[in-house]
Amino acid sequence: TPVIRVKNLYKIYQVGTNKVYALNGVDFTMYKGEFCAIVGPSGSGKSTLLNMLAGLEKPTKGEIIIAGKHMERMDENQLVQFRRENVGFIFQSYNLLKTLNAVENVALPLSFRGVPKKIRNAKAEEYLKLVGLEKQMKHMANAMSGGQQQRVGIARALVVNPKIIFADEPTGNLDSKTTMEVLKLMQRIVREQQQTLVMVTHDNYIAGFADRQFHIVDGKILKIEEKKKETEEA
Ligand code: ADP
Ligand code: ADP
């Protein structure tokens, strides 16, 4: 099932008298249950593309259809509502509240949505178990390792059961061993929860963990590459 469809997408910035084509005619489809990587060098348009997909910026031209709805036709209120219902975010620097424990951090998005405390804590615990943190539920975020903090970040993104998860350089602050663990966790979750995970990275090795890699250069998708089998089994 298609979840994200992008058609003839352009983002053009006017810089002085010059036009910068941050996105220069992008077309693709991403499906339910897919782990997709948008990979390219610095300045290639990754952040711009992610911001468009998340409805944080408007395209200059083109269409973004997510779960059947045209993002480019939504106003700001509709976009906020759309994100609340459909999207989870995983950040490079985790963005946890440092003086809250793991359960409280994961429960936060449910709190914003008015879910009662008992229910949101139970949900938070369920997702912390899913990411392998059953023993760290009451640990303060600032007392956890980077890998543990990112697991909390992943649980927080999942707790609202979004259709789509956006991850911006999610392993950018992790050592190589922890990076592998987090990438394998994301592979497993996509398979189990059948969400669509869109990860942005500049690193080809990290992108190799995705089911499909969307290679972006100068605002264009140059090729879409399927995963080689051995990366997953390794
Ligand atoms: P990446 O995330 O791959 O590093 P970006 O999406 O940040 O790339 O940037 C793509 C191109 O668009 C770059 O040339 C960048 O300088 C330009 N760009 C991004 N944002 C703006 C902006 N707000 N104003 C002008 N140019 C921008
Ligand atoms: P809430 O938790 O209040 O329900 P939403 O679910 O509406 O918030 O959406 C998450 C919010 O987080 C977005 O509205 C946006 O402002 C912010 N956000 C998420 N990811 C990014 C990002 N990559 N860059 C900037 N802001 C972001």
Side-chain angles (χ1 to χ4, degrees):
T1 323
V3 175
I4 302 175
R5 292 171 66 196
V6 169
K7 295 184 187 172
N8 200 32
L9 193 68
Y10 286 82
K11 181 67 176 181
I12 306 167
Y13 292 108
Q14 188 78 40
V15 181
T17 55
N18 288 326
K19 283 183 164 43
V20 175
Y21 282 70
L23 295 176
N24 193 357
V26 169
D27 290 272
F28 60 74
T29 304
M30 293 171 174
Y31 297 91
K32 186 175 158 75
E34 253 196 332
F35 179 1
C36 297
I38 297 168
V39 57
S42 178
S44 57
K46 303 184 295 296
S47 308
T48 303
L49 180 55
L50 195 71
N51 286 341
M52 309 270 128
L53 294 179
L56 299 168
E57 274 187 80
K58 285 271 179 215
T60 308
K61 192 172 100 177
E63 297 173 61
I64 303 173
I65 304 148
I66 298 193
K69 300 224 173 64
H70 276 270
M71 304 271 291
E72 78 282 359
R73 296 178 195 164
M74 292 184 197
D75 65 26
E76 203 44 55
N77 288 333
Q78 291 171 316
L79 285 171
V80 168
Q81 185 64 24
F82 185 83
R83 278 196 293 271
R84 198 165 288 164
E85 288 170 4
N86 296 289
V87 176
F89 291 94
I90 300 170
F91 302 92
Q92 177 171 0
S93 47
Y94 327 123
N95 288 14
L96 304 181
L97 293 184
K98 293 190 187 339
T99 58
L100 297 185
N101 69 34
V103 170
E104 290 163 338
N105 267 288
V106 175
L108 216 50
L110 298 174
S111 170
F112 293 142
R113 288 165 176 76
V115 176
K117 188 164 185 177
K118 247 184 129 163
I119 298 174
R120 66 183 191 245
N121 284 353
K123 274 269 163 213
E125 288 175 14
E126 175 191 334
Y127 281 93
L128 283 166
K129 282 183 193 143
L130 184 75
V131 300
L133 289 178
E134 52 272 45
K135 297 208 182 93
Q136 288 83 14
M137 302 255 194
K138 296 287 161 61
H139 289 201
M140 291 293 174
N142 61 10
M144 299 180 113
S145 70
Q148 290 175 341
Q149 290 190 52
Q150 192 55 297
R151 285 171 190 268
V152 175
I154 292 169
R156 182 187 53 191
L158 292 170
V159 77
V160 298
N161 195 25
K163 288 192 184 70
I164 304 164
I165 299 162
F166 294 115
D168 194 355
E169 301 275 6
T171 61
N173 287 334
L174 302 176
D175 63 46
S176 57
K177 178 167 170 283
T178 314
T179 291
M180 294 280 283
E181 289 167 2
V182 165
L183 288 166
K184 285 181 180 170
L185 173 66
M186 294 198 299
Q187 285 178 332
R188 172 167 70 80
I189 278 167
V190 168
R191 221 169 14 229
E192 288 177 4
Q193 314 269 313
Q194 286 292 299
Q195 280 145 333
T196 304
L197 172 62
V198 183
M199 175 179 72
V200 161
T201 180
H202 66 278
D203 186 317
N204 278 302
Y205 177 74
I206 285 168
F209 283 77
D211 298 321
R212 287 196 296 155
Q213 300 176 46
F214 296 70
H215 292 273
I216 184 167
V217 178
D218 293 338
K220 289 186 185 186
I221 303 290
L222 281 196
K223 65 172 175 178
I224 300 174
E225 187 180 358
E226 305 252 347
K227 182 169 64 211
K228 298 172 195 67
K229 279 279 176 272
E230 54 290 11
T231 315
E232 193 170 5
E233 273 119 48

